Amino acid sequence: MKNLFKILALVFTGLLVFSCEKDEDQAIINETSAGKIAADKSAIVLNELNANTAVISFTWTKPTFNIAVVPNQKVEFGIKGNSFKKSATVDFSNDMTSGSVTHAAMNAAMFAIGATPDVVNDIEVRLKTSVGSAVFYSNVIALKVTPYTPNPDLVYPKINVPGSYAGAAGYANWTPANSPNLFSPGKNDEYRGFIWINTVSGDEDGKYKFSINEDWPGNKGDDGTNTGKLKLDGANVKAPAVGAYYIKVNWAANTYSSVLANFGVIGDATPTGWGSDTDFVYNPATKTFVINSIALSSTGVFKFRANDDWAMKFQPKDADQTLVSGTAVQSYLSAENTVTGDPAYKVSQAGNYKIELDLHNSAYYKLTITKL
């Protein structure tokens, strides 16, 4: 019984010490005065041409605490009315009480929080100070920001596809820094995209491999089995036929696939209806796939499919879309599971049109039609 009382006493003492320690932790860090932030502008228009130039400056008074601490401080942005539930931050070193943000950094923050490009967005800004796991916030200031549509070539990771085919496609043969790229829309190790090969007749024609950082170190090629497996400094991959290829690479898993994908337009808005396709032709000068002239009616619809089949289609995201002459729109590849339903394109005016598909970046396929 005495032993039982001793054990209970020890347990009670331990709980008491633990409770006191928790209370002490809660009492250790107290904010004695809140931080305060201000900006030198209340409205800004972001411009990609000035990407590395400062667009706005913030000044702030740091919060103070009852004990000496080494805080981590950031300027935090959120859409007005969303209570910073989705936010982005720009870091500043803890010895600073002012700092500027460039057009590019601000635009990246706006992109991250879901601000709408090319229109005025009401944004809220505050100073976020962290001390360990404790977080403290300043006052909130209002800012009107007009972001630009970020260049997907700069936003998404990419690998390069150098090869003997690249010169004829408008690039340079066997030059990683001047070759088509495969992009990673998921910003992971999975890359995808298109290349175009004009000839495979010679032994060295139609060959390619994969590089990273626009250079040869770390390049990967076939492991010699021709079964879609990669290895460092592996063998060149040779395309079996002329045409456009849809390529997918898992860089971490060392795998790749390559599928012939020659696209055409089809639909009851086209002269041949749903019976046959009008094929695109690759233009090395613009690095795009083009139909220079086709009659389109305003009463029908059209979409783009590969290899006279329905396995791969370029379509609107989730509903029929009426295209405006000369205005580029993002197009979606059904095989990438980015399309809901089976939507199609339309034009509001009948006439002859030039159609151009820009497939150089799989994170942003671009479609433009122009009335002739």
Side-chain angles (χ1 to χ4, degrees):
M1 182 65 71
K2 289 182 179 180
N3 288 336
L4 177 61
F5 281 122
K6 287 180 180 179
I7 292 170
L8 290 174
L10 287 171
V11 170
F12 177 76
T13 302
L15 288 172
L16 182 62
V17 170
F18 177 77
S19 176
C20 291
E21 286 178 348
K22 296 300 288 184
D23 289 341
E24 185 178 336
D25 282 347
Q26 292 174 356
I28 283 178
I29 303 173
N30 285 318
E31 188 181 42
T32 54
S33 67
K36 189 172 183 179
I37 192 170
D40 67 342
K41 297 181 182 72
S42 60
I44 55 175
V45 178
L46 304 179
N47 188 332
E48 191 169 20
L49 296 177
N50 300 322
N52 297 319
T53 303
V55 66
I56 190 169
S57 294
F58 296 99
T59 57
W60 56 87
T61 302
K62 297 180 182 182
T64 58
F65 302 95
N66 61 320
I67 61 172
V69 297
V70 180
N72 176 274
Q73 56 188 13
K74 306 177 181 184
V75 174
E76 185 176 30
F77 304 92
I79 301 290
K80 182 180 179 180
N82 199 32
S83 302
F84 293 91
K85 290 178 182 176
K86 188 175 184 180
S87 68
T89 58
V90 175
D91 293 2
F92 292 95
S93 62
N94 59 24
D95 61 335
M96 297 176 68
T97 55
S98 66
S100 299
V101 183
T102 64
H103 286 261
M106 180 65 78
N107 203 70
M110 297 302 101
F111 181 73
I113 65 176
T116 304
D118 305 316
V119 299
V120 177
N121 292 258
D122 287 313
I123 303 299
E124 294 181 324
V125 187
R126 65 186 180 184
L127 182 69
K128 179 180 180 180
T129 304
S130 302
V131 181
S133 60
V135 181
F136 304 88
Y137 298 104
S138 72
N139 60 308
V140 175
I141 60 175
L143 184 63
K144 291 186 179 295
V145 182
T146 304
Y148 55 84
T149 301
N151 184 345
D153 290 0
L154 304 177
V155 171
Y156 296 94
K158 64 185 178 183
I159 59 174
N160 329 114
V161 194
S164 60
Y165 73 95
Y171 299 88
N173 287 346
W174 296 114
T175 307
N178 188 9
S179 63
N181 299 304
L182 307 181
F183 285 83
S184 177
K187 297 184 178 181
N188 49 25
D189 282 315
E190 297 178 8
Y191 299 85
R192 64 197 188 208
F194 289 86
I195 66 172
W196 178 78
I197 293 176
N198 76 316
T199 180
V200 295
S201 59
D203 288 342
E204 295 304 312
D205 292 332
K207 287 187 174 181
Y208 59 90
K209 59 194 318 187
F210 307 105
S211 66
I212 196 164
N213 299 323
E214 299 186 337
D215 206 350
W216 285 113
N219 78 85
K220 296 182 181 183
D222 193 270
D223 71 347
T225 65
N226 294 314
T227 57
K229 297 177 182 177
L230 295 172
K231 72 173 185 178
L232 285 172
D233 295 312
N236 296 332
V237 181
K238 184 174 173 67
V242 169
Y245 283 84
Y246 179 59
I247 299 175
K248 298 171 73 174
V249 171
N250 188 316
W251 195 255
N254 288 315
T255 59
Y256 75 98
S257 63
S258 178
V259 179
L260 197 65
N262 292 314
F263 281 88
V265 61
I266 190 171
D268 57 4
T270 71
T272 56
W274 294 106
S276 63
D277 302 68
T278 301
D279 293 333
F280 283 91
V281 176
Y282 183 77
N283 184 343
T286 59
K287 302 181 179 71
T288 59
F289 295 85
V290 180
I291 296 173
N292 285 308
S293 180
I294 186 172
L296 298 175
S297 75
S298 58
T299 56
V301 299
F302 56 94
K303 51 189 85 167
F304 310 100
R305 67 176 185 172
N307 310 322
D308 299 327
D309 194 8
W310 293 109
M312 299 174 68
K313 296 175 287 183
F314 277 108
Q315 301 172 265
K317 186 175 181 63
D318 52 20
D320 287 356
Q321 183 173 5
T322 301
L323 300 172
V324 176
S325 176
T327 301
V329 299
Q330 185 173 2
S331 192
Y332 300 86
L333 185 59
S334 61
E336 294 173 348
N337 297 317
T338 53
V339 177
T340 301
D342 193 24
Y345 294 106
K346 300 185 279 188
V347 292
S348 59
Q349 284 185 296
N352 289 332
Y353 286 85
K354 177 182 178 180
I355 305 178
E356 189 172 31
L357 270 176
D358 182 349
L359 307 183
H360 87 276
N361 187 331
S362 59
Y364 196 96
Y365 299 121
K366 188 163 63 175
L367 165 66
T368 309
I369 68 164
T370 304
K371 197 170 187 300
L372 300 176

